[in-house]
Amino acid sequence: MTKNNKNTLDKILNAPTRVEIGAAPEGHDATLLCAWANRVGRLLVIVADDVAMARTAAALAFFDPDIECLTFPAWDCLPYDRVSPSADVLNQRISVLSRLLEKRVSGNTQIIVTTVSAFLQRIVPRDMLAGRSLTIEQGSSHAPDIIIEFLTRNGYVNSDTVREPGEFARRGGILDIYPADSETPYRLDFFGDEIDSIRIFDSETQRTTGKSKGFNIIPLGEVYLDEDSVSRFRSNYREAFSITGDNDPLYESISAGRRYLGMEHWLPLFHEVLETLLDYTGEITTVLANQAIQARDARLGLIDEYFAARQEVESAKLSLGNTPYHPVPKASLYLDAENFEGLLAPLPGGTLSSFDLPESEKGTVFNGGGHTGHDFADVRVKNDGDLFSAVTVHIQSLLAERKRVVVTAMSEGSRDRLRRVFVEHDLTVGNDVNTWADACAQNQGLCTIAVASFDRGFFTNDMALITEQDILGERLSRPQGRKIKPENIISDAMTLNPGDLVVHVDHGIGRFDGLYTIEVSGAPHDCLQLTYHGDARLFLPVENIELVSRFGSDDVAAQLDRLGGAAWQARKAKLKERIAEMAEELIKVAAARELNDGAKIIPQEGIFEEFCARFPYTETEDQKRAIDSVLEDLASGRNADRLVCGDVGFGKTEIAMRAAFATAMEGKQVAIVVPTTLLCRQHHINFAERFRGFPIMVRQLSRFITTKEAKDTKEGLTNGTVDIVIGTHALLAKDIRFRDLGLLIIDEEQHFGVSHKERLKSLKADVHVLTLTATPIPRTLQLALSGVREMSLIATPPVDRLAVRTYILPFDPVIIREAILRERYRGGQTFYVCPRISDLEQVEREIRELVPEVSMVVVHGQMPPARMEETVTSFYDGNHDVLLSTNIIESGIDMPRVNSIIIHRADRFGLSQLYQLRGRVGRSKIRAY
């Protein structure tokens, strides 16, 4: 605790009423909260939103990791929505509420951080959770059927294999359970009704990792479908809406004891009374963080707006696809401003503000002593500005004032980069630290670097904290989600179910009918039963399972082969000849590339670190590994040929940028080939902005540029003045000549045909090649898996990425109107995609009649380039709510504000196209639909 904090707290604790504390900017407010909590024992902090909650929790952990910090989020859906909150959010809420019900350990300092939205919403009563948990202990007696009944009533899902929290699976005398608030799943082994053993296992590998004496199961959601709750809901629903509930899917599902999507929005009908978070905490010191009051008013306005919209639809008797929506009264589910103030008024605490406030004579307004740190934006915008020299001078001036200086980085990699850059600028840096206590243990005359998620820096009389974002601009970093291991993706794909078609290496296509035990020579053997043409059966011992593989198509009408027939052997022989021809061709290409030495491209230290530091995200583990592999390829002296395969939006473009930068700085040229003009334009904008300030010329070659610009670009490629060119198929024209091409990057390779690939072959005889794709064609993937090409797999999702919620519905104008308006009301935009240009005119007319209050523009591939660019730019700038287009937006388009996409006639698109289209939304931390 700083001396300034101690003096301020002494005044606060002696204040007669709730207080206001000014000069407490983000970051510094955490130091005050830690000191405050350590004095009073428990603290409830109400912040503006989920982002502020995550930052506050991270800051508290940095300044005082010994404090128990609980984060209680709001539902991640809109008021009166049709969808349920995500399972992760529900699990976290129930886990925190259960923890608050436990008897708190004496002397354990605790801070509960919640959002305004979470505090405004009424929650389930305490007695629901107090009596709704189930304790499982080794040696205890619990019938498996009773446990399964409890799990089902509490929202757990029966699954073949337990992978996620909220799932369970039963296999004979074994029951796997993944409790909602647990980090690991458990495997129960029964002997009759007695639990013989409890094992912890890995949800990815399904292998045992340890043993346990017991664990607790809490409800998965906030709706408990027991007999009393269902009866209460039925009665309250009929009374509240004066209807019988006939032809109402919600009423029918709950009446049958089945969970229903979005049922949480009728929570008051399941309970006699709802409570508030303060009922769980008891009397506690409460602190409103910066902007909390403004966030409260905005949230209450949003609740009013959506409630009015639902009432309007109900009064107009509009049918939503035979799914009526009767909203519960606002007061039954949410607090209003008066309730909010009334709950906080009698409690000790106060309000924090980042602004300076004049201290009052009454002793209720105090100065927190903090100031927002220096932002180096003025130096960043200058192309000739030496950013890190300015940072070094600033840090040295702070040290001269005898302030303790800590620089925070978003990741270990960022910290290493900053350290190297500071050393190059002659700044002596102390040992790396992880907490504020570690920093205080260092020599005060040295700057230290810590990994911490601070948004902005601050300073006080005796300390200064500078963030990576202050230096380099906006960064995005949050705790990463769970990772899917690549080897498990492959093993999951090989899982066989009865009825699947398989291929036996010697007998051809058959049908897998299950596992059977047969006796051979008096001994039992487990075998796979395969059925062939004419109902012939083959029993394959499980130890020879490597002889079969899944058939490459789900077509159940595929013709089965005859056991012992010649057709399969003939097909195998023909295929072997074709494989030999392909292998010969591949060997020729590979030999030519192997015999030609590739240019050794080694990133220049210092300047390459500064370029990498401009990346505004934290690299995922897979991304780091892919970047290292690509750089190793470039420096190896051999012609590189690597496939980078990762889901849409997983960060493949950053890998290409770093490879392009390293190549261009060595004097070599880089060609980036993309399938569409829109993607070409987007890449050019992103590359030009990222490479600004470096001696690298970036140009584009597509329909979007004039004839003169295209001519200048071609001449620049020939004479070497253009370092990086981004182009569509125009880059494959015969009049394109490179002075010294070093790297060829093929983005979205699956869109290029055979003729294009033949042209690419002539380009890549002696250059490095990097291929990027989310949906590789089988030939490309096979080349990578067989080792002809190197492959990097990115399986880790980006930070803050929420899964896109997908719904398949018949065409319903009212649902479309609701989706478009819902996205507009939350400040977002919508894609509406049609399969054919001929569909656009009719769909445009229908949407304008259906949603006249929104602004819409149309884009397709046959538009004049200038008009297309103008339209897309205007939409990107937020001037329109809906972009109606063909699948021209399919590849690589990145518009973070677009978080709803409607696919018209989805049956006319291929699986790869639908997968790519879905990847156009959900590219920020906002839930997408």
Side-chain angles (χ1 to χ4, degrees), residues 274-287:
L274 295 183
E275 297 183 340
T276 69
L277 188 57
L278 291 177
D279 290 312
Y280 281 80
T281 62
E283 185 170 339
I284 190 173
T285 302
T286 59
V287 180

Side-chain angles (χ1 to χ4, degrees), residues 630-667:
V630 170
L631 295 179
E632 288 174 8
D633 290 347
L634 297 178
S636 67
R638 295 183 298 105
N639 288 308
D641 191 1
R642 179 172 292 273
L643 169 69
V644 177
C645 184
D647 206 346
V648 286
F650 271 36
K652 298 184 294 293
T653 303
E654 175 62 18
I655 298 171
M657 280 189 175
R658 297 194 186 185
F661 181 82
T663 304
M665 291 302 294
E666 286 293 310

Side-chain angles (χ1 to χ4, degrees), residues 809-829:
L809 304 168
F811 182 84
D812 189 320
V814 181
I815 290 179
I816 291 174
R817 171 180 168 81
E818 181 187 15
I820 293 174
L821 288 181
R822 178 173 60 183
E823 189 59 55
R824 182 195 184 201
Y825 290 152
R826 66 172 182 168
Q829 297 169 292

Side-chain angles (χ1 to χ4, degrees), residues 701-723:
L701 198 61
S702 70
R703 290 195 305 127
F704 277 157
I705 65 174
T706 63
T707 303
K708 184 180 183 305
E709 289 175 328
K711 181 181 177 182
D712 292 343
T713 299
K714 292 176 182 178
E715 290 177 355
L717 293 174
T718 304
N719 60 36
T721 56
V722 173
D723 301 293

Side-chain angles (χ1 to χ4, degrees), residues 28-60:
H28 177 52
D29 59 355
T31 68
L32 293 169
L33 293 173
C34 287
W36 203 339
N38 282 319
R39 294 284 290 273
V40 299
R42 299 177 79 206
L43 211 61
L44 173 64
V45 182
I46 305 173
V47 299
D49 52 35
D50 289 336
V51 175
M53 182 174 68
R55 289 174 180 162
T56 301
L60 293 173

Side-chain angles (χ1 to χ4, degrees), residues 424-465:
E424 286 185 2
H425 287 77
D426 300 323
L427 178 67
T428 304
V429 181
N431 296 330
D432 293 338
V433 298
N434 295 315
T435 66
W436 176 248
D438 295 339
C440 291
Q442 300 287 314
N443 186 333
Q444 188 165 350
L446 296 178
C447 164
T448 54
I449 307 179
V451 176
S453 298
F454 285 92
D455 188 38
R456 294 294 179 200
F458 65 92
F459 67 94
T460 65
N461 292 335
D462 53 4
M463 64 174 289
L465 186 139

Side-chain angles (χ1 to χ4, degrees), residues 124-142:
V124 295
R126 285 162 289 172
D127 58 0
M128 176 211 161
L129 289 183
R132 303 302 191 192
S133 63
L134 180 64
T135 300
I136 302 294
E137 295 179 342
Q138 183 178 351
S140 61
S141 181
H142 288 284

